[in-house]
Amino acid sequence: MAQNKTMLVMNGPNLNLLGKREPGVYGSGTLADVETMCRDYAKSAGYDIDFRQSNSEGELVTWLHEADENAVGVAFNAGAYTHTSIALHDAIKGISNPVVELHISNVHAREEFRHKSIMASACIGQISGFGVRSYTLALQALIDHLK
Ligand code: DQA
């Protein structure tokens, strides 16, 4: 069987609005632009991308479970669920794939309620504040981790 070379890029709530949502914070590029950037970056390193977005916490949990079979690692922008979801923390703990938490904005330079990540301790690391480049930095971290 061919070696699995798929990385899952998961996006949580409101990230479907990228481009029109608070462009001063998140930039003017769309989620489709981010997907293209991720695919191009991964391809140059020999990986495929499974790129998804959901506004539903339960769906994100299910995708994490499935990732253990379908992917070798996960780059995850969980949006606001980062700060609230014990279910996502537990799902990340429950799988063996490495997960990198990522944020477009620098969550530590914003409102206090964004300073706490419930997921972070379950992830291999966190990338925050580099605009949409946070996605390719997260992929780079995963690729290095998988070597
Ligand atoms: C975000 C930061 C979160 O605090 C926020 O709720 C988001 C986006 C980011 O990418 O900067 O939805 O994850």
Side-chain angles (χ1 to χ4, degrees):
M1 199 171 76
Q3 202 194 344
N4 184 347
K5 294 283 261 181
T6 300
M7 283 188 294
L8 176 60
V9 180
M10 290 210 317
N11 297 277
N14 300 308
L15 288 159
N16 53 311
L17 299 179
L18 221 53
K20 56 182 175 187
R21 171 194 187 199
E22 300 183 81
V25 176
Y26 299 113
S28 54
T30 65
L31 197 61
D33 296 333
V34 173
E35 179 173 356
T36 301
M37 187 181 69
C38 288
R39 284 194 193 288
D40 289 348
Y41 182 84
K43 195 173 173 191
S44 67
Y47 285 87
D48 296 322
I49 291 291
D50 181 357
F51 193 92
R52 302 179 186 205
Q53 188 276 332
S54 177
N55 294 319
S56 155
E57 186 177 13
E59 191 161 40
L60 294 166
V61 168
T62 300
W63 288 347
L64 283 168
H65 296 172
E66 292 171 357
D68 249 2
E69 300 296 323
N70 306 332
V72 291
V74 183
F76 191 10
N77 185 350
Y81 288 144
T82 304
H83 318 296
T84 63
S85 178
I86 297 169
L88 287 175
H89 170 103
D90 287 353
I92 295 166
K93 281 283 226 196
I95 64 173
S96 49
N97 268 346
V99 178
V100 174
E101 174 183 334
L102 79 94
H103 302 285
I104 297 167
S105 63
N106 180 355
V107 287
H108 301 287
R110 299 182 62 196
E111 302 96 324
E112 200 169 341
F113 62 81
R114 296 184 206 276
H115 297 180
K116 172 80 183 162
S117 166
I118 292 182
M119 292 167 36
S121 64
C123 294
I124 60 167
Q126 182 194 60
I127 291 168
S128 177
F130 297 96
V132 292
R133 282 284 159 212
S134 290
Y135 283 83
T136 50
L137 290 169
L139 291 173
Q140 185 187 338
L142 276 176
I143 291 165
D144 287 352
H145 181 86
L146 290 165
K147 273 184 188 151

